[in-house]
Amino acid sequence: MSATPAPAHQRATAESPVARIVLIGVALAFLGLFLLLPLIAVFAEGLQRGIGPFLDAIVEPDALSAIRLTLTVAAISVPLNIVFGIAAAWAITKFDFPGKGLLITLIDLPFSVSPVVAGLMYILLFGSSGWFASVLADQDMQIVFAVPGIVLATIFVTFPFVARELIPLMQEQGRDDEEAALSLGASGWQTFWHVTLPNIRWGLLYGVLLCNARAMGEFGAVSVVSGHIRGETNTMPLHVEILYNEYNFVAAFAVASLLAGLALVTLVLKSVLEWRFDYHRGGTGH
Amino acid sequence: MTATGASLGSTAIEGKLRSPARPYGKKRSIMPGFGITFGFTIFYLCLIVLVPLSAVFVRSAGLGPAHFVDVGFSARAMASYRLSFGAAAAAAAVNSVFGLLIAWVLVRYEFPGRRLVSAMVDLPFALPTAVAGIALTAIYAPNGWLGQYLEPLGMKVAYTPLGVVVALVFVGLPFVVRSVEPVLADLGHDVEEAAASLGAGRVDTFTRVILPAIGPALLTGFALAFARGVGEYGSVIFIAGNMPFVSEVSPLLIVTQLEQYDYAGATAIASVMLVASFALLLVINLIQIWSRKRMAA
Amino acid sequence: MGITVSGISKRFGAFTALGDIDLEARPGEFLALLGPSGSGKTTLLRIIAGLEFPDTGTVAFDGVDVTNQPITDRGVGFVFQQYALFRHMTVADNVAFGLTVRKRSTRPAKAEIARRVEELLDLVQLKDLGKRYPAQLSGGQRQRVALARALAVEPRILLLDEPFGALDAKVRKDLRRWLRELHDRMGLTSIFVTHDQEEALELADRVVVMDHGVIEQVSAPEAIYNDPASAFVFDFVGESNRLPVSVRGGRAHFGGHAFDVATDGTRDGDATLFFRPHDVEIVGAGAAALPAVVSLARPRGGGTRIEARIEGREAPLELDYTGDAPPRPGDRIGVRPLRARLFPAG
């Protein structure tokens, strides 16, 4: 901001400086109250007895096992959704076929399904009275109330992130680059690796970032299928819930701080992508 | 509201010159990999989304109409729908007003920290809902950061339906801001100047020129926030109090019934919610088709 | 309604958009602001409109100072470059807008507004398109809607920012003629901004040539072309050849050759010589003229356009030859400017 005072009139259609300051003030107050304050509360509540109890809560075995499980689930579900996202975007943007609009809508579907309903679906399929109950019993396999169920539920809720980021991007980029590469004798795989991937890398990273944040933070869907077995099927968000319900607030907020830290890192990386690489996305993410 | 300007170094310029994808109808393509990518997409979609979703509807159908209505529209279920849909609508309305204001401020004004604020708007997308839930409870509980000052004023937020609205305001805000922002940015200054040159004051210009122009985007943002709010669970259950008939949201009722092994009840309620979600999805798509048709230039 | 602009200057940060502008538009006049981009012409138009406010100076309509009046109260019609139509309103609603936003006390009745809209759409030859949306119209039709909308508030002054910029050549010519008629019929005072000299010279009563935020010349179109007031105007309006020369004893010298020109009292020293392609005599080599070698000859209009290279100048001269036996590439010729202008260098 320059030190010189702005002239009395800037543009004929601009609000007066007073109106402008009031509007900015109200917007900032709303954001402060509804977004910033909760974020501060997480860290403040976690640290209210000092750094010692905070760290104890994080290195405690159940917490460590929750962290491990969360990382494992993300490490499985995110790559699967990356592969799916790229495949779906390739099929949709490089080829013409009837029903494309419907396919795009179906890919977006998980965004409009309540996470709890998502969890319920898998119980109806793999639970003790589910469609596949007898098959699973024969194989002595357990999906719900075990890690595979958690992974499935996580894949479902993070299903559209990569695809919906790549589809508009690749749509806009068209097929000319790929056609050029193919005409020069590149194989399909070479074309993808050397031409397509470099073109979509920031968009892909963006989608992966959001996908990962949701995968590590998912609560509702995972909660339904997890069975809440301490040290075994508890992810970090579920661990937070258990600690909270046991009135162990400091520990709950300490573990929550880790998740909030993850959210902040996600936002920073996302902003870096937007500012440094000028990568803008359209529409809304979830 | 399409994704535009993937300007990444030199590819940006080339990107502008490239022709858009071919229209439909061109059958043969030299592009490889259709079979494998399309096949995998459909397989994965069926495995993860379609088959599990159909399980809900098939199970519901198995209940028979009378039983379905009994459990799906029981008094307790109805109360939960009223709360879930009512609170989601209220929160989406609040977000429409403040989301529009925030988008306006971000698009129109330069102020210190604008980028930081813009980044912060996405916090609800990145912060796990359970974390948001306990944080909001810590703030609005009767002995909480703000709750202790609100309580003497007779305002109870946490453990009431109002708490549900607060949580849904948190999760829904970015939907409105991010829907409205690009449309507002695209809306040229000249339209406002034209209105002024024809004698319209700022209020007339806003209500008659700006608002109708961003109306579809605002509606879309409202619908997205509303849809998200209806199904929200994690951020709500901590602050809601979860009293049946009073502060129990539908997703929580599903969980409660699952815990009591009442699969029929859970499934019926889930079906009702799914139908509502799909209806909302349809509405959102219709809004977008309608606005594209009318204002495509 | 007359417009008087006095001592207007405007800076955007370190950039001087306008420096001390004085301009007068007489009642009923059609004025063109002509200049390259960045010359300040649009800023001047926007200041006259009240869309922008000057740092110094005043704007007066019929002697009444309106400098600090916002556009809302000035009662001018403004046509925007991209038309700025309200996309969510029908054509009729666009045209009616200026009337419907009036205060209740001065707002015409609904039926009266409808009648006026009808009349205006008739005027701009869009009678049956009132129910359409702007997106459903062609560029020329949109332009006319924008005009009808601006005229609905019965302005005495009409300001147009590059009114034909976004149209293709054919539509542009038709609209031009039509706009001129409209202006005359409605007794408006109009100012339009353009970077197209042909448009300015054909349409305007007087042309204001601007460059770098200052007015270079204000004259009738013929005078702008035939009697440019500055090197910039000579260069910018119409085709011209420029030659750096030195003036000594009433003659111009270039590369060891001297020729007669009207020096108009230009002092001895370095100067720039300007002449139009058709204002030359092409003579045989060796005559008292500028020696040149024809590099290109192609038919153009009724004659031949010749490009001829001269020593000591990179770009070839552009010359018109109207005789029967045009020189051919490779021919050596002498070029003798008939009507040339000298402007002191620097």
Side-chain angles (χ1 to χ4, degrees):
Chain A
M1 300 216 95
S2 68
T4 51
H9 308 280
Q10 282 287 6
R11 287 182 88 105
T13 54
E15 283 75 31
S16 70
V18 177
R20 190 180 302 213
I21 288 169
V22 169
L23 292 178
I24 294 175
V26 173
L28 291 184
F30 186 84
L31 285 171
L33 184 65
F34 278 93
L35 300 193
L36 191 57
L37 196 61
L39 187 65
I40 295 170
V42 175
F43 293 102
E45 293 284 322
L47 288 165
Q48 61 173 308
R49 299 240 178 80
I51 193 82
F54 181 90
L55 291 175
D56 288 346
I58 290 170
V59 298
E60 178 253 346
D62 283 349
L64 285 178
S65 115
I67 293 171
R68 227 173 358 252
L69 181 60
T70 291
L71 292 176
T72 309
V73 169
I76 299 169
S77 53
V78 174
L80 279 172
N81 279 335
I82 291 175
V83 172
F84 162 73
I86 291 173
W90 183 273
I92 286 169
T93 62
K94 304 294 178 197
F95 301 94
D96 299 320
F97 52 88
K100 203 188 256 196
L102 178 67
L103 182 57
I104 295 175
T105 308
L106 288 178
I107 289 174
D108 262 355
L109 211 53
F111 276 154
S112 40
V113 173
S114 171
V116 168
V117 177
L120 170 72
M121 297 178 333
Y122 294 107
I123 299 218
L124 294 181
L125 284 182
F126 305 115
S128 53
S129 64
W131 288 359
F132 301 113
S134 55
V135 183
L136 293 171
D138 289 348
Q139 303 289 321
D140 198 22
M141 260 177 72
Q142 191 161 14
I143 289 185
V144 292
F145 310 128
V147 175
I150 297 175
V151 172
L152 272 177
T154 304
I155 290 177
F156 179 87
V157 295
T158 59
F159 185 84
F161 279 102
V162 178
R164 74 139 47 203
E165 200 60 45
L166 290 185
I167 290 170
L169 180 61
M170 284 167 70
Q171 190 84 54
E172 193 193 351
Q173 291 181 343
R175 332 173 172 173
D176 293 359
D177 281 20
E178 283 79 10
E179 284 173 353
L182 292 164
S183 75
L184 295 170
S187 71
W189 184 247
Q190 285 170 322
T191 301
F192 171 74
W193 200 249
H194 295 293
V195 176
T196 310
L197 199 58
N199 276 343
I200 61 169
R201 61 186 188 274
W202 303 125
L204 182 61
L205 196 56
Y206 202 101
V208 169
L209 210 56
L210 297 177
C211 181
N212 181 64
R214 181 72 192 264
M216 291 193 174
E218 178 50 30
F219 178 73
V222 168
S223 167
V224 172
V225 296
S226 120
H228 302 271
I229 306 163
R230 261 196 140 146
E232 275 182 47
T233 61
N234 261 351
T235 60
M236 285 168 77
L238 297 179
H239 190 60
V240 169
E241 184 198 16
I242 289 179
L243 292 170
Y244 189 86
N245 287 342
E246 289 169 348
Y247 301 102
N248 192 349
F249 293 135
V250 170
F253 279 102
V255 178
S257 298
L258 279 188
L259 288 167
L262 168 77
L264 288 179
V265 170
T266 303
L267 287 184
V268 168
L269 290 177
K270 190 173 149 295
S271 302
V272 168
L273 275 180
E274 279 164 7
W275 301 341
R276 278 302 299 273
F277 304 105
D278 206 21
Y279 178 75
H280 297 289
R281 82 217 152 94
T284 50
H286 289 244
Chain B
M1 227 175 35
T2 51
T4 49
S7 5
L8 310 163
S10 64
T11 57
I13 301 131
E14 293 157 30
K16 292 241 161 61
L17 298 174
R18 260 180 237 137
S19 60
R22 302 283 135 71
Y24 290 101
K26 195 188 166 202
K27 278 277 167 347
R28 289 188 53 180
S29 172
I30 63 157
M31 209 69 73
F34 180 69
I36 180 143
T37 55
F38 184 77
F40 179 68
T41 300
I42 297 296
F43 168 75
Y44 195 74
L45 184 70
C46 289
L47 183 75
I48 301 291
V49 180
L50 298 183
V51 171
L53 269 179
S54 65
V56 177
F57 291 112
V58 173
R59 277 296 192 97
S60 299
L63 296 178
H67 190 197
F68 180 85
V69 171
D70 257 6
V71 291
F73 296 97
S74 68
R76 189 172 169 187
M78 289 305 288
S80 83
Y81 298 145
R82 265 196 296 277
L83 178 62
S84 273
F85 285 87
V94 170
N95 279 332
S96 295
V97 174
F98 287 94
L100 172 60
L101 173 67
I102 290 163
W104 177 274
V105 163
L106 288 177
V107 170
R108 291 298 170 98
Y109 305 144
E110 253 331 305
F111 56 93
R114 191 178 64 88
R115 285 183 151 187
L116 200 68
V117 172
S118 172
M120 208 177 74
V121 168
D122 284 336
L123 181 72
F125 285 158
L127 192 71
T129 51
V131 177
I134 62 170
L136 288 170
T137 311
I139 292 169
Y140 291 104
N143 58 350
W145 291 24
L146 293 178
Q148 56 181 311
Y149 304 109
L150 295 174
E151 179 93 4
L153 301 173
M155 263 187 78
K156 281 179 73 113
V157 180
Y159 317 130
T160 69
L162 186 57
V164 178
V165 175
V166 167
L168 297 186
V169 166
F170 177 88
V171 296
L173 182 66
F175 291 98
V176 177
V177 179
R178 296 301 180 219
S179 294
V180 173
E181 224 180 345
V183 182
L184 205 51
D186 274 353
L187 188 69
H189 263 297
D190 58 350
V191 186
E192 282 172 61
E193 291 180 346
S197 79
L198 296 167
R202 284 307 279 164
V203 174
D204 269 330
T205 303
F206 182 77
T207 55
R208 302 197 38 188
V209 174
I210 299 173
L211 208 52
I214 60 173
L218 195 59
L219 264 177
T220 303
F222 176 91
L224 287 170
F226 180 67
R228 173 68 196 261
V230 168
E232 180 56 24
Y233 176 70
S235 61
V236 170
I237 54 161
F238 298 97
I239 199 172
N242 307 330
M243 290 265 297
F245 295 101
V246 178
S247 55
E248 181 181 57
V249 293
S250 306
L252 177 69
L253 184 55
I254 295 177
V255 172
T256 309
Q257 290 180 325
L258 272 179
E259 278 166 0
Q260 293 160 359
Y261 302 103
D262 180 3
Y263 286 9
T267 309
I269 294 168
S271 308
V272 173
M273 293 192 66
L274 277 177
V275 169
S277 306
F278 296 160
L280 269 171
L281 198 65
L282 188 69
V283 168
I284 294 169
N285 281 327
L286 288 178
I287 293 171
Q288 280 171 349
I289 291 169
W290 167 70
S291 77
R292 217 175 300 145
K293 247 196 198 149
R294 220 177 53 157
M295 306 219 275
Chain C
M1 189 175 258
I3 304 168
T4 314
V5 169
S6 358
I8 292 283
S9 66
K10 174 80 179 174
R11 298 173 67 85
F12 294 108
F15 175 72
T16 305
L18 293 173
D20 202 21
I21 297 281
D22 293 304
L23 184 66
E24 172 114 32
R26 301 174 199 124
E29 203 173 22
F30 205 144
L31 222 54
L33 301 182
L34 175 67
S37 60
S39 59
K41 56 190 192 303
T42 295
T43 306
L44 180 57
L45 190 79
R46 289 171 61 86
I47 286 175
I48 294 170
L51 285 167
E52 214 91 52
F53 297 93
D55 298 338
T56 66
T58 58
V59 179
F61 293 166
D62 271 350
V64 181
D65 186 344
V66 295
T67 313
N68 289 315
Q69 214 173 43
I71 187 167
T72 330
D73 307 330
R74 281 195 198 183
V76 299
F78 199 101
V79 176
F80 291 81
Q81 196 172 356
Q82 307 292 337
Y83 319 135
L85 295 178
F86 307 129
R87 291 198 291 170
H88 61 280
M89 292 183 200
T90 61
V91 166
D93 287 342
N94 263 283
V95 175
F97 184 85
L99 299 172
T100 55
V101 293
R102 283 198 186 158
K103 284 199 195 72
R104 200 174 289 274
S105 53
T106 55
R107 191 191 308 157
K110 257 200 172 140
E112 168 67 8
I113 292 178
R115 197 188 58 76
R116 291 262 286 277
V117 169
E118 190 85 346
E119 230 173 67
L120 281 158
L121 288 178
D122 200 19
L123 180 74
V124 299
Q125 297 156 15
L126 293 173
K127 208 174 167 59
D128 301 320
L129 301 183
K131 291 211 159 58
R132 297 255 188 110
Y133 283 93
Q136 299 164 318
L137 301 182
S138 72
Q141 290 172 330
R142 281 181 214 172
Q143 158 72 283
R144 283 181 277 154
V145 174
L147 206 62
R149 186 178 67 175
L151 293 175
V153 293
E154 296 180 324
R156 309 286 308 281
I157 294 172
L158 184 62
L159 305 172
L160 309 101
D161 186 5
E162 296 275 8
F164 311 110
L167 301 173
D168 53 49
K170 173 77 179 79
V171 181
R172 200 186 273 228
K173 281 220 152 172
D174 292 347
L175 265 179
R176 232 189 254 168
R177 201 170 310 125
W178 176 79
L179 178 64
R180 178 71 223 204
E181 281 171 26
L182 199 72
H183 163 92
D184 294 338
R185 189 153 23 119
M186 302 191 72
L188 296 162
T189 305
S190 306
I191 303 182
F192 76 105
V193 156
T194 181
H195 64 272
D196 180 342
Q197 39 169 306
E198 195 192 322
E199 203 166 282
L201 297 179
E202 189 186 304
L203 202 54
D205 295 320
R206 285 192 302 154
V207 177
V208 182
V209 184
M210 296 184 67
D211 185 40
H212 289 111
V214 296
I215 292 178
E216 293 275 337
Q217 185 172 5
V218 185
S219 303
E222 308 79 55
I224 293 279
Y225 188 78
N226 294 323
D227 192 15
S230 69
F232 172 80
V233 177
F234 208 123
D235 203 24
F236 187 72
V237 180
E239 291 182 299
S240 63
N241 295 293
R242 57 190 298 170
L243 215 52
V245 296
S246 62
V247 178
R248 277 195 309 276
R251 304 191 79 195
H253 298 258
F254 176 81
H257 304 276
F259 40 94
D260 295 313
V261 287
T263 50
D264 295 336
T266 308
R267 271 184 283 140
D268 283 4
D270 288 343
T272 311
L273 182 78
F274 282 90
F275 58 94
R276 307 247 183 243
H278 54 82
D279 286 337
V280 292
E281 190 183 3
I282 294 174
V283 295
L290 205 53
V293 180
V294 175
S295 55
L296 192 82
R298 57 191 145 81
R300 171 150 150 180
T304 307
R305 166 57 57 97
I306 290 164
E307 286 182 21
R309 300 198 168 277
I310 55 174
E311 218 168 290
R313 189 175 183 271
E314 192 122 330
L317 296 176
E318 302 257 339
L319 311 166
D320 283 339
Y321 181 83
T322 47
D324 290 333
R328 283 202 292 246
D331 288 357
R332 293 184 171 278
I333 55 170
V335 178
R336 190 180 286 157
L338 292 179
R339 296 198 321 160
R341 280 286 300 274
L342 279 170
F343 295 101

